[in-house]
Amino acid sequence: MLLLVLMKEERFFYVPNATDVDRLPQEEAAHATRVLRLKEGDSIFLIDGEGGIHQAVVTIATNKQCQYKITNTTTLPQSENRIHIAIAPTKMMERMEWMAEKATEIGIDEISFLEGQFSERRKMRVDRIEKTVVSAMKQSRKAWMPAINDMIPVKQFIDTPREGRKFICHCHEEIPRTSLQQKLEEVQSSMFNVQCSTANGQSFTVLIGPEGDFSIEEVEYALKHGYESVSLGDFRLRTETAALVALMTIRLKVKG
Amino acid sequence: MLLLVLMKEERFFYVPNATDVDRLPQEEAAHATRVLRLKEGDSIFLIDGEGGIHQAVVTIATNKQCQYKITNTTTLPQSENRIHIAIAPTKMMERMEWMAEKATEIGIDEISFLEGQFSERRKMRVDRIEKTVVSAMKQSRKAWMPAINDMIPVKQFIDTPREGRKFICHCHEEIPRTSLQQKLEEVQSSMFNVQCSTANGQSFTVLIGPEGDFSIEEVEYALKHGYESVSLGDFRLRTETAALVALMTIRLKVKG
């Protein structure tokens, strides 16, 4: 993997199904040949988003296309624990792009967008988030592309069955909440595991509300459907920061 | 504190020495009277950055000034553990502003800027960072203003004596590193503390390098001066993300 670290970020390309095709997608090809001016014989790396990082050599480079031949493939395992953050997007789109970038760096498996009762943003350019995620994935050398889902209403998201532990973060003081950290420690403690880790291979879903929070009705709906009521500590956090804090808390408290 | 939570963010003003003066600073006054159109008798909140949150009433509001009378004062204690992040700023200034905003939300006590051997940015508009921090402080209702220090060379920072534990984060594989998380757990474990907390009242200093990392010489200089060599896990993180991950790791692993 040392070579991977040494390779410049710009030489990484995202190519879904990299082994089934023999050329870079149009946009990546334009960047490779026109901006980076790659030529036949140059080394590149292909990330397929499904665990594969492929070393390849450019075989044909024209203004319009960039063909390659894979010379070596490294397959990286998916993280043992699966973390899915479902968030009601902020008014400012760039805060969501920032969140997606950072979440990808830190390690996330799935991001969904929610339309809540108090949502300020009811339309979402998921393609922009995907672009950010692809760029962060290349930058941080991730082999797995997080799944990015279209926006759906909160209740529809809750209605969909999901494995593992499910949390809803909110600020309603009239509904009892436990800190997410404490919730994760409870499991740990009950397992008498002093290394502060819970079992591997778990799934976690975390709901993060809009700037105006979830409505009480939405929180109660979630609680009826198996979600646990949590806070993120004494911090008063912006929506996008809350998502990151929740993600980091799970990553740090649960090994794998 | 409920009232604090209910108050709109825009009604919070940062007024250092709020009890010694009787009017808002010029810029805050302009915002209060021209943008928010506050009038005599309106309620406002003053954050003095040194633990005090003061409820006040506007007594005089003109185009140029906004005088107040404090009616109630709440004093919040400083966090028991002190966290100081010293970071070599990124080329893109907005990434540093973003880091300062998020660090303030999550809870930081001091931010310093470093000029390293491989730094891409050698000048720093600390006033812009201060502005960001003030705004985040109001937004997240923090009573304490983090200290923001001017940029100094890495070695000069290291030469300055500092209390508590000191860490340097870097990516040099030839220099042994332990994950910051593990370093903090070691203490915890040696204290037989199953709640995953170390003692309160500690100080932590964390050095974060530039995009091109610290030089080996800089790392070795730090190690000679009592810094511990750490990594931030298997993540490959951008500079500004590294600062946040280090901060969150300490906040989550050390209570207080």
Side-chain angles (χ1 to χ4, degrees):
Chain A
M1 287 294 287
L2 186 61
L3 190 59
L4 280 184
V5 172
L6 294 176
M7 282 296 287
K8 286 200 177 162
E9 182 183 335
E10 57 191 24
R11 292 282 185 101
F12 278 76
F13 300 93
Y14 173 54
V15 188
N17 306 311
T19 50
D20 297 337
V21 292
D22 64 353
R23 62 199 68 195
L24 298 183
Q26 202 175 356
E27 209 171 312
E28 297 280 57
H31 185 70
T33 60
R34 288 188 221 164
V35 182
L36 305 178
R37 297 179 179 279
L38 296 184
K39 303 260 171 264
E40 286 79 7
D42 282 341
S43 272
I44 56 176
F45 279 97
L46 315 175
I47 298 181
D48 65 19
E50 297 192 330
I53 299 190
H54 313 274
Q55 195 173 350
V57 172
V58 174
T59 51
I60 299 177
T62 69
N63 250 351
K64 291 189 179 166
Q65 60 168 292
C66 180
Q67 291 190 34
Y68 58 78
K69 189 167 171 285
I70 291 174
T71 54
N72 191 14
T73 291
T74 307
T75 307
L76 299 179
Q78 212 162 2
S79 63
E80 284 190 52
N81 295 306
R82 310 267 312 153
I83 306 180
H84 182 174
I85 302 269
I87 184 169
T90 48
K91 207 168 167 183
M92 283 172 72
M93 186 64 182
E94 64 172 12
R95 291 190 176 271
M96 284 300 99
E97 290 171 326
W98 166 83
M99 181 277 299
E101 176 183 300
K102 297 317 174 198
T104 304
E105 283 179 62
I106 292 166
I108 194 162
D109 302 288
E110 194 164 355
I111 302 175
S112 293
F113 294 100
L114 302 175
E115 188 184 350
Q117 214 174 317
F118 301 146
S119 278
E120 296 212 46
R121 172 179 284 278
R122 297 183 181 274
K123 280 189 184 162
M124 187 70 193
R125 293 264 320 259
V126 171
D127 60 322
R128 277 179 59 182
I129 299 292
E130 276 169 347
K131 238 180 173 168
T132 306
V133 165
V134 165
S135 153
M137 198 174 59
K138 289 187 215 172
Q139 202 275 333
S140 60
R141 313 282 192 269
K142 298 281 186 214
W144 289 88
M145 167 90 179
I148 311 294
N149 305 317
D150 279 330
M151 184 144 80
I152 58 172
V154 171
K155 288 191 178 174
Q156 187 182 332
F157 185 90
I158 293 171
D159 284 339
T160 310
R162 294 173 200 284
E163 281 182 21
R165 292 187 78 178
K166 297 173 290 182
F167 303 102
I168 182 165
C169 304
H170 65 92
C171 303
H172 295 289
E173 304 207 345
E174 57 271 52
I175 301 174
R177 296 170 301 161
T178 309
S179 82
L180 176 60
Q181 184 175 1
Q182 207 177 318
K183 282 273 184 197
L184 297 169
E185 281 170 5
E186 276 166 20
V187 178
Q188 182 193 109
S189 174
S190 72
M191 294 169 71
F192 297 102
N193 187 337
V194 293
Q195 288 181 322
C196 300
S197 67
T198 59
N200 286 344
Q202 291 188 72
S203 293
F204 299 90
T205 303
V206 184
L207 307 190
I208 307 281
E211 277 114 331
D213 206 350
F214 288 116
S215 69
I216 288 187
E217 195 200 336
E218 286 169 336
V219 176
E220 286 173 345
Y221 192 78
L223 302 187
K224 272 188 205 132
H225 288 76
Y227 282 77
E228 304 173 58
S229 171
V230 295
S231 73
L232 294 171
D234 303 330
F235 317 137
R236 184 192 145 95
L237 303 169
R238 283 180 181 276
T239 298
E240 74 278 9
T241 319
L244 271 268
V245 167
L247 174 61
M248 277 294 299
T249 304
I250 300 173
R251 280 265 171 256
L252 283 170
K253 288 288 168 188
V254 187
K255 294 269 163 68
Chain B
M1 288 293 286
L2 186 61
L3 190 60
L4 280 186
V5 173
L6 293 177
M7 283 296 286
K8 287 202 175 159
E9 181 184 335
E10 57 191 23
R11 293 281 185 101
F12 278 76
F13 300 93
Y14 173 55
V15 188
N17 306 312
T19 51
D20 298 337
V21 292
D22 64 353
R23 62 199 67 195
L24 298 184
Q26 201 174 357
E27 208 171 313
E28 297 280 56
H31 184 71
T33 60
R34 288 187 221 164
V35 182
L36 304 178
R37 297 180 179 280
L38 295 183
K39 302 261 171 262
E40 286 79 7
D42 282 341
S43 272
I44 55 174
F45 280 98
L46 316 175
I47 297 180
D48 66 19
E50 297 191 332
I53 299 191
H54 313 273
Q55 196 173 350
V57 172
V58 175
T59 52
I60 297 177
T62 69
N63 252 349
K64 289 189 180 167
Q65 60 169 291
C66 180
Q67 291 189 35
Y68 58 77
K69 187 167 172 285
I70 290 174
T71 55
N72 191 14
T73 291
T74 307
T75 307
L76 299 180
Q78 212 162 2
S79 62
E80 285 190 51
N81 295 306
R82 313 266 311 152
I83 306 180
H84 181 175
I85 302 269
I87 185 171
T90 49
K91 207 168 168 183
M92 283 172 71
M93 185 65 180
E94 65 172 12
R95 291 190 176 270
M96 284 300 99
E97 289 170 327
W98 165 83
M99 182 276 300
E101 176 183 301
K102 297 315 173 198
T104 305
E105 283 179 63
I106 293 166
I108 194 162
D109 302 288
E110 193 165 356
I111 301 175
S112 294
F113 294 100
L114 303 175
E115 188 184 352
Q117 214 174 319
F118 302 144
S119 279
E120 294 212 46
R121 171 178 286 276
R122 297 184 181 272
K123 279 190 185 162
M124 187 69 194
R125 292 264 321 259
V126 170
D127 60 321
R128 278 180 57 179
I129 299 292
E130 275 169 349
K131 238 180 174 167
T132 305
V133 165
V134 165
S135 155
M137 196 173 62
K138 290 189 215 170
Q139 202 275 335
S140 60
R141 313 283 193 268
K142 298 282 184 211
W144 289 88
M145 166 88 178
I148 312 292
N149 305 318
D150 279 331
M151 184 144 80
I152 57 172
V154 171
K155 288 192 178 174
Q156 187 182 331
F157 185 92
I158 292 171
D159 285 339
T160 311
R162 294 173 200 284
E163 281 182 21
R165 291 187 78 178
K166 297 173 289 182
F167 302 102
I168 182 165
C169 304
H170 65 92
C171 303
H172 295 289
E173 304 208 345
E174 57 270 53
I175 300 174
R177 297 169 300 161
T178 309
S179 82
L180 175 60
Q181 185 176 1
Q182 206 178 319
K183 282 274 186 198
L184 298 167
E185 281 169 6
E186 276 166 20
V187 178
Q188 181 192 109
S189 171
S190 73
M191 292 171 71
F192 297 102
N193 187 337
V194 291
Q195 288 180 322
C196 300
S197 67
T198 60
N200 286 344
Q202 291 187 72
S203 292
F204 299 90
T205 302
V206 184
L207 308 189
I208 306 281
E211 277 116 331
D213 206 351
F214 289 117
S215 69
I216 287 187
E217 194 200 336
E218 286 167 337
V219 176
E220 286 173 344
Y221 192 79
L223 301 189
K224 270 187 208 137
H225 288 76
Y227 282 76
E228 302 173 61
S229 172
V230 295
S231 74
L232 295 170
D234 303 330
F235 317 136
R236 184 192 145 96
L237 303 170
R238 284 179 180 274
T239 297
E240 73 278 9
T241 319
L244 271 268
V245 167
L247 174 61
M248 278 292 300
T249 304
I250 298 173
R251 280 266 170 256
L252 284 169
K253 287 288 167 189
V254 188
K255 295 269 163 68

